[in-house]
Every structure is written in C-alpha cells, then in structure tokens.
Amino acid sequence: MLNLSVPALRRVLWLDASSGLAMALAHFGMSGQLSRWLGLPPAWLLVSGLVVLGAALLSGSLAWRAAPPAAGVRLLAVGNFGWVAASVWAVWGAGLALTTLGVAWVLAQAAFVLVLAELEWAGSRRAPAILMGA
C-alpha cells in the first residue's frame, strides 16, 4: 500500500494546484482555439475551467498548510476521481465530435489527474496520524 509523507503530499497538492490553474487559464483564455483543436464546445471549456479553478484553489489551500487535513485531501481526491470519470464519459459517452487530438488530450489529462488522485488518497492515510501527534 502506497503511503506518502506529509512533505510529499504537499508537493503533490502544489502540483495539482499549479497544473489546475494553468489548465483553467488556458480554458478561459483560449477556449475558441482549444475548441477548434480538440473538438470540445467552448461552453464546455469555460465550465470545465471553472471546475478546475475551484479544485486548484482547494488544492492550493490544502498545500499551504503544514499538515493538510485528511478530510480535505480526500474531498479533493474524490473530486479528481470524478473528473477522470467525466473525462472518460466525454470521450466515449457524451456524443461529442472530438478530434483525434481532443481524444488524446482528454485521456492524457485524465490519466494525469488519476495519478494525482491516487497520490492524494495515499497521502490522506498518513495525514490523520500526523495531525493527532503520532
């Protein structure tokens, strides 16, 4: 079973926050271009940008703490698992006319988010013991 130290968990949380912020900014600032490249509707890009921005803010607020609370980290991880499921649905269930690049991009970012979610969940197992003084 994978366990992360609190410093390692905080690094994962910072990575989640920074990559999420970059993705949200791209969705807001380049929605027209991304729509043409990926085949995702501009409205989807804007809404997903809002969702990702919220997750990035949560991740950053957790990373800022010396010992991130397990409940917050688990909430973020569950949200990330949900993002992965929504990404898979966007590719195979939503009936979107994604380009080949769009399919590759959506699946690649979903794989990245899945790794983040797994690492965050693993790190959350250690967080309660540290918070209780162990």
Side-chain angles (χ1 to χ4, degrees):
M1 178 182 307
L2 178 64
N3 255 334
L4 292 181
S5 66
V6 170
L9 172 60
R10 290 183 68 220
R11 284 190 295 274
V12 169
L13 291 169
W14 280 123
L15 176 60
D16 194 349
S18 60
S19 62
L21 180 59
M23 188 169 176
L25 291 174
H27 283 206
F28 296 144
M30 299 176 51
S31 62
Q33 186 67 33
L34 288 173
S35 179
R36 286 187 293 281
W37 289 344
L38 306 176
L40 287 165
W44 280 48
L45 290 164
L46 294 174
V47 170
S48 66
L50 288 172
V51 171
V52 172
L53 180 60
L57 292 173
L58 174 59
S59 185
S61 71
L62 292 168
W64 193 262
R65 297 172 175 227
V73 176
R74 288 182 183 143
L75 175 65
L76 180 64
V78 167
N80 281 340
F81 286 126
W83 179 268
V84 172
S87 297
V88 170
W89 174 77
V91 170
W92 286 297
L96 298 174
L98 297 176
T99 65
T100 301
L101 179 61
V103 170
W105 171 252
V106 171
L107 294 177
Q109 63 80 34
F112 179 75
V113 172
L114 179 61
V115 170
L116 289 174
E118 289 287 347
L119 291 171
E120 289 161 353
W121 193 264
S124 76
R125 288 199 282 285
R126 182 120 166 95
I130 290 169
L131 290 175
M132 296 184 321

